[in-house]
Coordinates of all heavy atoms in Angstrom, one line a residue:
M1 N 95.1 109.7 114.5 CA 94.3 109.4 113.3 C 95.2 108.5 112.3 O 96.3 108.8 112.2 CB 93.9 110.6 112.7 CG 93.0 110.4 111.5 SD 92.0 111.9 111.1 CE 92.6 112.2 109.5
S2 N 94.5 107.6 111.8 CA 95.3 106.6 110.9 C 95.6 107.3 109.6 O 94.9 108.2 109.1 CB 94.4 105.4 110.6 OG 94.9 104.6 109.6
Q3 N 96.7 106.9 109.0 CA 97.1 107.4 107.7 C 96.2 106.8 106.6 O 96.3 107.1 105.4 CB 98.6 107.2 107.4 CG 98.9 105.7 107.4 CD 100.4 105.5 107.1 OE1 101.1 106.4 106.6 NE2 100.9 104.3 107.4
F4 N 95.5 105.8 106.9 CA 94.7 105.0 105.9 C 93.2 105.5 106.0 O 92.6 105.5 107.0 CB 94.8 103.5 106.2 CG 96.2 103.0 106.1 CD1 96.8 102.7 107.3 CD2 96.9 103.0 104.9 CE1 98.1 102.2 107.3 CE2 98.2 102.5 104.9 CZ 98.8 102.1 106.1
A5 N 92.7 105.7 104.8 CA 91.2 106.0 104.7 C 90.4 104.8 104.8 O 89.2 104.9 105.2 CB 90.9 106.7 103.3
A6 N 91.0 103.7 104.5 CA 90.2 102.4 104.6 C 91.2 101.2 104.8 O 92.4 101.4 104.4 CB 89.4 102.2 103.3
K7 N 90.8 100.2 105.4 CA 91.6 99.0 105.6 C 90.8 97.8 105.2 O 89.5 97.8 105.4 CB 92.0 98.9 107.1 CG 93.0 99.9 107.5 CD 93.4 99.7 109.0 CE 94.4 100.8 109.4 NZ 95.0 100.5 110.7
I8 N 91.5 96.8 104.7 CA 90.8 95.5 104.3 C 91.7 94.4 104.6 O 92.9 94.4 104.3 CB 90.3 95.5 102.8 CG1 89.4 94.3 102.5 CG2 91.6 95.6 101.8 CD1 88.7 94.4 101.3
Y9 N 91.2 93.4 105.2 CA 91.9 92.1 105.6 C 91.3 91.1 104.7 O 90.2 90.5 104.9 CB 91.6 91.8 107.1 CG 92.3 90.5 107.5 CD1 93.7 90.5 107.7 CD2 91.6 89.4 107.9 CE1 94.3 89.4 108.1 CE2 92.2 88.2 108.3 CZ 93.6 88.2 108.4 OH 94.2 87.1 108.9
A10 N 92.1 90.8 103.7 CA 91.7 89.9 102.6 C 91.2 88.5 103.0 O 90.2 87.9 102.5 CB 92.7 89.8 101.5
P11 N 91.9 87.8 104.0 CA 91.5 86.5 104.3 C 90.1 86.4 105.0 O 89.5 85.3 105.1 CB 92.6 86.0 105.4 CG 93.8 86.9 105.0 CD 93.2 88.2 104.6
A12 N 89.5 87.5 105.3 CA 88.2 87.6 105.9 C 87.1 87.3 104.8 O 86.0 87.0 105.2 CB 87.9 88.9 106.6
Y13 N 87.5 87.3 103.6 CA 86.6 87.1 102.5 C 86.8 85.8 101.8 O 87.9 85.3 101.8 CB 86.8 88.2 101.4 CG 86.4 89.6 101.9 CD1 87.4 90.3 102.6 CD2 85.2 90.1 101.7 CE1 87.1 91.6 103.1 CE2 84.9 91.4 102.1 CZ 85.8 92.1 102.8 OH 85.5 93.4 103.3
E14 N 85.7 85.2 101.3 CA 85.9 84.0 100.5 C 86.8 84.3 99.3 O 86.7 85.4 98.8 CB 84.5 83.5 100.0 CG 83.6 83.0 101.1 CD 84.0 81.8 101.7 OE1 84.6 80.9 101.0 OE2 83.9 81.7 102.9
P15 N 87.6 83.3 98.9 CA 88.5 83.5 97.8 C 87.8 84.2 96.6 O 88.4 85.1 96.0 CB 89.0 82.2 97.5 CG 89.1 81.5 98.8 CD 87.8 81.9 99.4
K16 N 86.7 83.8 96.2 CA 86.0 84.3 95.0 C 85.6 85.7 95.2 O 85.4 86.5 94.2 CB 84.9 83.4 94.6 CG 83.7 83.4 95.6 CD 82.5 82.6 95.0 CE 81.4 82.6 96.0 NZ 80.7 83.9 96.2
D17 N 85.5 86.2 96.4 CA 85.0 87.6 96.7 C 86.1 88.5 97.0 O 85.9 89.7 97.1 CB 84.0 87.5 97.9 CG 82.8 86.7 97.6 OD1 82.3 86.6 96.4 OD2 82.3 86.0 98.5
R18 N 87.3 88.1 97.2 CA 88.4 88.9 97.7 C 88.7 90.1 96.7 O 88.7 91.2 97.1 CB 89.6 88.1 98.0 CG 89.6 87.3 99.2 CD 90.8 86.5 99.4 NE 90.5 85.6 100.6 CZ 91.3 84.5 100.9 NH1 92.3 84.3 100.1 NH2 90.9 83.8 101.9
H19 N 89.1 89.7 95.5 CA 89.5 90.8 94.6 C 88.3 91.7 94.3 O 88.6 93.0 94.3 CB 90.1 90.2 93.3 CG 91.4 89.6 93.5 ND1 92.3 89.4 92.4 CD2 92.1 89.2 94.6 CE1 93.4 88.8 92.9 NE2 93.3 88.7 94.1
P20 N 87.1 91.3 94.1 CA 86.0 92.2 93.9 C 85.9 93.2 95.1 O 85.6 94.4 94.9 CB 84.8 91.4 93.6 CG 85.3 90.1 93.1 CD 86.7 89.9 93.8
A21 N 86.0 92.7 96.3 CA 85.8 93.5 97.5 C 86.9 94.5 97.6 O 86.7 95.7 97.9 CB 85.8 92.6 98.8
I22 N 88.2 94.1 97.2 CA 89.3 95.0 97.3 C 89.1 96.1 96.2 O 89.3 97.3 96.6 CB 90.6 94.3 97.1 CG1 90.9 93.4 98.3 CG2 91.8 95.2 96.9 CD1 91.9 92.2 98.1
F23 N 88.7 95.8 95.0 CA 88.4 96.8 94.0 C 87.3 97.7 94.4 O 87.4 98.9 94.1 CB 88.2 96.1 92.6 CG 89.5 95.8 91.9 CD1 90.1 94.5 92.1 CD2 90.2 96.7 91.2 CE1 91.2 94.2 91.4 CE2 91.4 96.4 90.6 CZ 91.9 95.2 90.7
R24 N 86.2 97.2 95.0 CA 85.1 98.1 95.4 C 85.6 99.1 96.4 O 85.3 100.3 96.3 CB 84.0 97.2 96.0 CG 83.0 96.7 95.0 CD 81.8 96.1 95.6 NE 82.0 95.2 96.7 CZ 82.2 93.9 96.5 NH1 82.2 93.4 95.3 NH2 82.4 93.1 97.6
L25 N 86.5 98.6 97.4 CA 86.9 99.6 98.4 C 87.9 100.6 97.7 O 87.7 101.8 98.0 CB 87.7 98.8 99.5 CG 88.2 99.6 100.6 CD1 87.1 100.4 101.4 CD2 89.0 98.7 101.7
F26 N 88.8 100.2 96.9 CA 89.7 101.1 96.2 C 88.8 102.1 95.4 O 89.1 103.3 95.4 CB 90.6 100.3 95.3 CG 91.5 101.2 94.5 CD1 92.6 101.8 95.0 CD2 91.2 101.6 93.2 CE1 93.4 102.7 94.3 CE2 92.0 102.4 92.4 CZ 93.1 103.0 93.0
D27 N 87.9 101.7 94.7 CA 87.0 102.6 93.8 C 86.3 103.6 94.7 O 85.9 104.7 94.2 CB 86.1 101.7 92.9 CG 86.8 101.0 91.9 OD1 87.9 101.3 91.5 OD2 86.2 100.1 91.3
S28 N 86.1 103.3 95.9 CA 85.3 104.2 96.8 C 86.2 105.3 97.4 O 85.7 106.2 97.9 CB 84.7 103.5 98.0 OG 85.6 103.1 99.0
L29 N 87.5 105.1 97.2 CA 88.5 106.1 97.7 C 88.4 107.4 96.9 O 88.1 107.3 95.7 CB 89.9 105.6 97.7 CG 90.2 104.4 98.6 CD1 91.7 103.9 98.3 CD2 90.0 104.7 100.0
K30 N 88.7 108.5 97.5 CA 88.9 109.8 96.8 C 90.4 109.9 96.4 O 91.2 109.2 97.0 CB 88.6 111.0 97.7 CG 87.1 111.0 98.1 CD 86.9 112.1 99.1 CE 85.4 112.1 99.5 NZ 85.2 112.6 100.8
S31 N 90.7 110.7 95.4 CA 92.1 110.9 95.0 C 92.9 111.3 96.1 O 92.5 112.2 96.9 CB 92.1 112.0 93.9 OG 93.4 112.2 93.5
G32 N 94.0 110.6 96.3 CA 95.0 110.9 97.4 C 94.8 110.1 98.6 O 95.6 110.1 99.5
E33 N 93.7 109.4 98.7 CA 93.4 108.6 99.9 C 94.1 107.2 99.7 O 94.4 106.7 98.6 CB 91.9 108.3 100.1 CG 91.2 109.5 100.6 CD 89.7 109.3 100.9 OE1 89.1 108.4 100.3 OE2 89.2 110.0 101.8
V34 N 94.5 106.6 100.8 CA 95.2 105.3 100.8 C 94.5 104.3 101.6 O 93.9 104.6 102.7 CB 96.6 105.6 101.5 CG1 97.4 104.3 101.5 CG2 97.4 106.7 100.8
M35 N 94.4 103.1 101.0 CA 93.9 102.0 101.7 C 95.0 101.0 102.1 O 96.0 100.9 101.5 CB 92.8 101.2 100.9 CG 93.3 100.5 99.7 SD 92.0 99.7 98.8 CE 92.6 98.0 98.8
E36 N 94.8 100.3 103.2 CA 95.8 99.3 103.7 C 95.2 97.9 103.4 O 94.0 97.7 103.8 CB 96.0 99.4 105.1 CG 97.0 98.4 105.6 CD 97.2 98.4 107.2 OE1 96.2 98.5 107.9 OE2 98.3 98.2 107.6
L37 N 95.9 97.2 102.6 CA 95.5 95.8 102.3 C 96.4 94.9 103.1 O 97.6 95.0 103.1 CB 95.7 95.5 100.9 CG 95.7 94.1 100.4 CD1 94.3 93.5 100.6 CD2 96.2 93.9 99.0
T38 N 95.7 94.0 103.9 CA 96.5 93.0 104.7 C 96.1 91.6 104.1 O 94.9 91.4 103.9 CB 96.2 93.1 106.2 OG1 96.5 94.4 106.6 CG2 97.0 92.1 107.0
N39 N 97.1 90.8 103.9 CA 96.9 89.5 103.4 C 97.8 88.4 104.1 O 98.8 88.8 104.7 CB 97.1 89.5 101.8 CG 96.3 88.4 101.1 OD1 95.6 87.6 101.7 ND2 96.4 88.4 99.8
D40 N 97.5 87.1 103.8 CA 98.2 86.0 104.4 C 99.2 85.5 103.4 O 99.9 84.5 103.7 CB 97.3 85.0 105.0 CG 96.4 84.4 103.9 OD1 96.5 84.8 102.8 OD2 95.6 83.5 104.3
H41 N 99.3 86.1 102.2 CA 100.3 85.6 101.2 C 100.6 86.9 100.3 O 99.9 87.9 100.4 CB 99.7 84.5 100.3 CG 98.5 84.9 99.5 ND1 97.3 84.7 100.1 CD2 98.4 85.3 98.3 CE1 96.4 85.1 99.1 NE2 97.1 85.5 98.0
D42 N 101.6 86.8 99.6 CA 102.0 87.9 98.7 C 100.9 88.2 97.7 O 100.5 87.4 96.9 CB 103.3 87.6 98.0 CG 103.9 88.7 97.2 OD1 103.2 89.8 97.1 OD2 105.1 88.6 96.7
P43 N 100.4 89.5 97.7 CA 99.3 89.8 96.8 C 99.8 90.2 95.4 O 99.1 91.0 94.7 CB 98.6 91.0 97.5 CG 99.6 91.6 98.3 CD 100.6 90.5 98.7
R44 N 100.8 89.6 94.9 CA 101.4 90.0 93.6 C 100.4 89.8 92.5 O 100.3 90.7 91.6 CB 102.7 89.2 93.4 CG 103.4 89.6 92.1 CD 104.7 88.9 91.9 NE 105.5 88.8 93.1 CZ 106.4 89.7 93.5 NH1 106.6 90.8 92.7 NH2 107.1 89.6 94.5
P45 N 99.6 88.7 92.5 CA 98.6 88.6 91.4 C 97.6 89.8 91.4 O 97.2 90.2 90.4 CB 97.9 87.3 91.6 CG 98.9 86.5 92.4 CD 99.7 87.5 93.2
L46 N 97.2 90.2 92.6 CA 96.3 91.4 92.7 C 97.0 92.6 92.2 O 96.4 93.4 91.5 CB 95.9 91.6 94.2 CG 95.0 92.8 94.4 CD1 93.6 92.6 93.8 CD2 94.8 93.0 95.9
H47 N 98.3 92.8 92.5 CA 99.0 93.9 91.9 C 99.0 93.9 90.4 O 98.8 94.9 89.8 CB 100.4 93.9 92.5 CG 101.2 95.1 92.1 ND1 102.6 95.1 92.2 CD2 100.9 96.3 91.7 CE1 103.0 96.3 91.8 NE2 102.0 97.1 91.5
Y48 N 99.2 92.8 89.8 CA 99.1 92.6 88.4 C 97.7 93.0 87.9 O 97.6 93.7 86.8 CB 99.6 91.3 87.9 CG 101.0 90.9 88.2 CD1 101.3 89.6 88.5 CD2 102.0 91.8 88.0 CE1 102.7 89.3 88.8 CE2 103.3 91.5 88.2 CZ 103.7 90.2 88.6 OH 105.0 89.9 88.8
Q49 N 96.8 92.6 88.6 CA 95.4 92.9 88.2 C 95.1 94.4 88.2 O 94.5 95.0 87.3 CB 94.3 92.1 89.0 CG 92.9 92.3 88.5 CD 91.9 91.5 89.3 OE1 92.3 90.7 90.2 NE2 90.7 91.5 89.0
F50 N 95.6 95.0 89.3 CA 95.5 96.5 89.4 C 96.3 97.2 88.2 O 95.7 98.2 87.6 CB 96.1 97.0 90.7 CG 95.1 97.3 91.8 CD1 94.8 96.3 92.7 CD2 94.4 98.4 91.9 CE1 93.9 96.5 93.7 CE2 93.5 98.7 92.8 CZ 93.2 97.7 93.8
M51 N 97.4 96.7 87.8 CA 98.1 97.2 86.7 C 97.3 97.1 85.4 O 97.4 98.0 84.6 CB 99.5 96.5 86.6 CG 100.4 96.9 87.7 SD 102.0 96.0 87.9 CE 102.4 95.4 86.3
M52 N 96.6 96.1 85.2 CA 95.8 95.9 84.0 C 94.5 96.7 84.1 O 94.2 97.3 83.1 CB 95.5 94.4 83.9 CG 96.6 93.5 83.6 SD 97.4 93.7 82.1 CE 96.1 93.2 81.0
E53 N 93.8 96.7 85.2 CA 92.5 97.3 85.3 C 92.4 98.7 85.8 O 91.4 99.4 85.6 CB 91.6 96.3 86.2 CG 91.4 94.9 85.6 CD 90.5 94.1 86.4 OE1 89.7 94.6 87.3 OE2 90.5 92.9 86.2
R54 N 93.5 99.1 86.5 CA 93.5 100.5 87.0 C 94.8 101.2 86.7 O 95.4 101.9 87.4 CB 93.2 100.5 88.5 CG 92.0 99.9 89.0 CD 90.7 100.6 88.6 NE 89.5 100.1 89.2 CZ 88.8 99.0 88.8 NH1 89.3 98.4 87.8 NH2 87.7 98.7 89.5
E55 N 95.3 101.0 85.4 CA 96.6 101.5 85.0 C 96.6 103.0 85.2 O 95.7 103.7 84.8 CB 96.8 101.2 83.5 CG 98.1 101.7 83.0 CD 98.3 101.4 81.5 OE1 97.5 100.7 80.9 OE2 99.4 101.7 81.0
G56 N 97.7 103.4 85.9 CA 97.9 104.9 86.1 C 97.1 105.5 87.2 O 97.1 106.7 87.4
Q57 N 96.3 104.7 87.9 CA 95.3 105.2 88.9 C 95.7 105.0 90.3 O 95.0 105.3 91.2 CB 94.0 104.6 88.6 CG 93.4 104.9 87.3 CD 92.0 104.2 87.1 OE1 91.2 104.1 88.0 NE2 91.7 103.8 85.9
F58 N 96.9 104.3 90.5 CA 97.3 103.9 91.9 C 98.7 103.9 92.1 O 99.5 103.8 91.2 CB 96.7 102.5 92.2 CG 97.3 101.4 91.5 CD1 98.3 100.7 92.1 CD2 97.0 101.1 90.2 CE1 99.0 99.6 91.4 CE2 97.7 100.1 89.4 CZ 98.7 99.4 90.1
T59 N 99.1 103.8 93.4 CA 100.5 103.5 93.8 C 100.4 102.3 94.7 O 99.3 102.0 95.3 CB 101.2 104.6 94.5 OG1 100.5 104.8 95.8 CG2 101.3 105.9 93.7
W60 N 101.5 101.5 94.7 CA 101.4 100.2 95.5 C 102.7 100.1 96.2 O 103.9 100.2 95.6 CB 101.4 99.0 94.5 CG 101.3 97.7 95.0 CD1 102.4 96.9 95.4 CD2 100.1 96.9 95.2 NE1 101.9 95.7 95.8 CE2 100.6 95.6 95.6 CE3 98.8 97.1 94.9 CZ2 99.7 94.6 95.9 CZ3 97.9 96.1 95.1 CH2 98.3 94.9 95.7
E61 N 102.7 100.1 97.6 CA 103.9 100.1 98.4 C 103.8 99.0 99.4 O 102.8 99.1 100.3 CB 104.1 101.5 99.1 CG 105.3 101.5 100.0 CD 105.4 102.8 100.8 OE1 104.7 103.7 100.6 OE2 106.3 102.8 101.6
Y62 N 104.7 98.1 99.4 CA 104.7 97.0 100.4 C 105.2 97.7 101.7 O 106.2 98.3 101.8 CB 105.7 95.9 100.1 CG 105.2 94.9 99.1 CD1 105.4 95.0 97.7 CD2 104.3 93.9 99.5 CE1 104.9 94.1 96.8 CE2 103.8 93.0 98.5 CZ 104.2 93.1 97.2 OH 103.6 92.2 96.3
L63 N 104.4 97.4 102.8 CA 104.7 97.9 104.1 C 105.3 96.7 105.0 O 106.1 96.9 105.9 CB 103.5 98.4 104.8 CG 102.8 99.5 104.1 CD1 101.4 99.9 104.8 CD2 103.7 100.8 104.0
E64 N 104.9 95.5 104.6 CA 105.4 94.3 105.3 C 105.3 93.2 104.3 O 104.3 93.1 103.5 CB 104.4 94.0 106.5 CG 104.9 92.9 107.4 CD 104.1 92.8 108.7 OE1 103.3 93.7 109.0 OE2 104.2 91.8 109.4
E65 N 106.4 92.4 104.2 CA 106.5 91.3 103.2 C 106.8 89.9 103.8 O 107.8 89.4 103.7 CB 107.6 91.7 102.2 CG 107.2 92.9 101.4 CD 108.3 93.2 100.3 OE1 108.4 92.4 99.4 OE2 108.9 94.2 100.5
G66 N 105.7 89.4 104.5 CA 105.8 88.1 105.0 C 106.8 87.8 106.1 O 107.3 88.7 106.6
P67 N 106.9 86.6 106.5 CA 106.4 85.4 105.8 C 104.9 85.1 106.1 O 104.3 84.3 105.3 CB 107.3 84.2 106.3 CG 107.7 84.7 107.7 CD 107.8 86.2 107.6
D68 N 104.4 85.6 107.2 CA 103.0 85.3 107.6 C 102.0 86.4 107.2 O 100.9 86.1 107.0 CB 102.9 85.0 109.1 CG 103.8 83.8 109.5 OD1 103.8 82.8 108.8 OD2 104.4 83.9 110.5
V69 N 102.5 87.6 107.1 CA 101.6 88.7 106.9 C 102.2 89.7 105.8 O 103.4 89.9 105.8 CB 101.3 89.6 108.2 CG1 100.5 90.8 107.9 CG2 100.6 88.8 109.2
W70 N 101.4 90.1 104.8 CA 101.8 91.1 103.9 C 100.9 92.2 104.0 O 99.7 92.0 104.1 CB 101.7 90.5 102.4 CG 102.8 89.6 102.0 CD1 103.9 90.0 101.2 CD2 103.1 88.3 102.3 NE1 104.7 89.0 101.0 CE2 104.3 87.9 101.7 CE3 102.4 87.3 103.1 CZ2 104.8 86.6 101.8 CZ3 102.9 86.1 103.2 CH2 104.1 85.7 102.6
R71 N 101.4 93.4 104.0 CA 100.7 94.6 104.1 C 101.1 95.6 102.9 O 102.3 95.7 102.7 CB 100.8 95.4 105.4 CG 100.3 94.6 106.6 CD 100.6 95.2 108.0 NE 100.4 96.6 108.0 CZ 101.4 97.6 108.2 NH1 102.6 97.2 108.4 NH2 101.1 98.9 108.3
V72 N 100.1 96.2 102.3 CA 100.3 97.1 101.2 C 99.6 98.3 101.4 O 98.5 98.3 101.8 CB 99.8 96.4 99.9 CG1 99.9 97.4 98.7 CG2 100.6 95.1 99.6
A73 N 100.2 99.5 101.1 CA 99.6 100.7 101.1 C 99.3 101.0 99.6 O 100.1 101.0 98.7 CB 100.4 101.9 101.6
N74 N 98.0 101.2 99.3 CA 97.5 101.3 97.9 C 96.8 102.7 97.8 O 95.7 102.9 98.3 CB 96.5 100.2 97.6 CG 96.2 100.1 96.2 OD1 96.4 101.0 95.3 ND2 95.5 99.0 95.8
E75 N 97.5 103.6 97.2 CA 96.9 105.0 97.1 C 96.2 105.2 95.8 O 96.7 104.8 94.7 CB 98.1 106.1 97.2 CG 97.5 107.5 97.1 CD 98.6 108.5 97.2 OE1 99.8 108.1 97.5 OE2 98.3 109.7 97.1
K76 N 95.1 105.9 95.8 CA 94.4 106.2 94.6 C 94.9 107.6 94.1 O 94.9 108.6 94.9 CB 92.9 106.3 94.9 CG 92.1 106.5 93.6 CD 90.5 106.3 93.9 CE 89.8 106.3 92.7 NZ 88.3 106.1 93.0
K77 N 95.3 107.6 92.9 CA 95.8 108.9 92.3 C 94.7 109.8 92.0 O 93.6 109.4 91.7 CB 96.6 108.6 91.1 CG 98.0 108.0 91.4 CD 98.8 107.9 90.2 CE 100.2 107.3 90.5 NZ 101.0 107.2 89.3

């Protein structure tokens, strides 16, 4: 069984839809559940957006840091 309650591959979404889709998935998690975010570039701007919009509600851990693939474990507190 996977350690992730949900997974999302950001490049599968149109750029304008990526962050909203990621936030919808995160918001659907229960406390303690973790989603895996996979991207084709460093999702640092998304991390900043989480810090602004979901302050104190998540943890963010890089699992893989490029150069071609970035993976993040994002846990809902």
Side-chain angles (χ1 to χ4, degrees):
M1 184 159 119
S2 172
Q3 64 179 340
F4 302 107
K7 295 184 178 190
I8 190 164
Y9 180 69
Y13 295 84
E14 291 293 321
K16 67 180 180 63
D17 298 327
R18 285 180 190 164
H19 287 199
I22 292 164
F23 276 96
R24 276 193 306 274
L25 182 59
F26 176 80
D27 289 341
S28 76
L29 297 175
K30 295 177 183 146
S31 180
E33 289 185 330
V34 181
M35 68 180 237
E36 179 187 45
L37 165 67
T38 303
N39 207 357
D40 59 0
H41 64 274
D42 188 351
R44 187 175 313 270
L46 177 67
H47 187 199
Y48 293 143
Q49 188 176 357
F50 263 93
M51 289 171 24
M52 295 291 294
E53 296 182 17
R54 302 295 188 278
E55 182 179 357
Q57 299 177 36
F58 72 96
T59 63
W60 183 278
E61 178 186 351
Y62 282 98
L63 303 173
E64 190 171 345
E65 295 184 68
D68 297 319
V69 173
W70 280 259
R71 291 175 46 244
V72 173
N74 190 349
E75 180 180 354
K76 188 171 189 177
K77 289 186 174 182

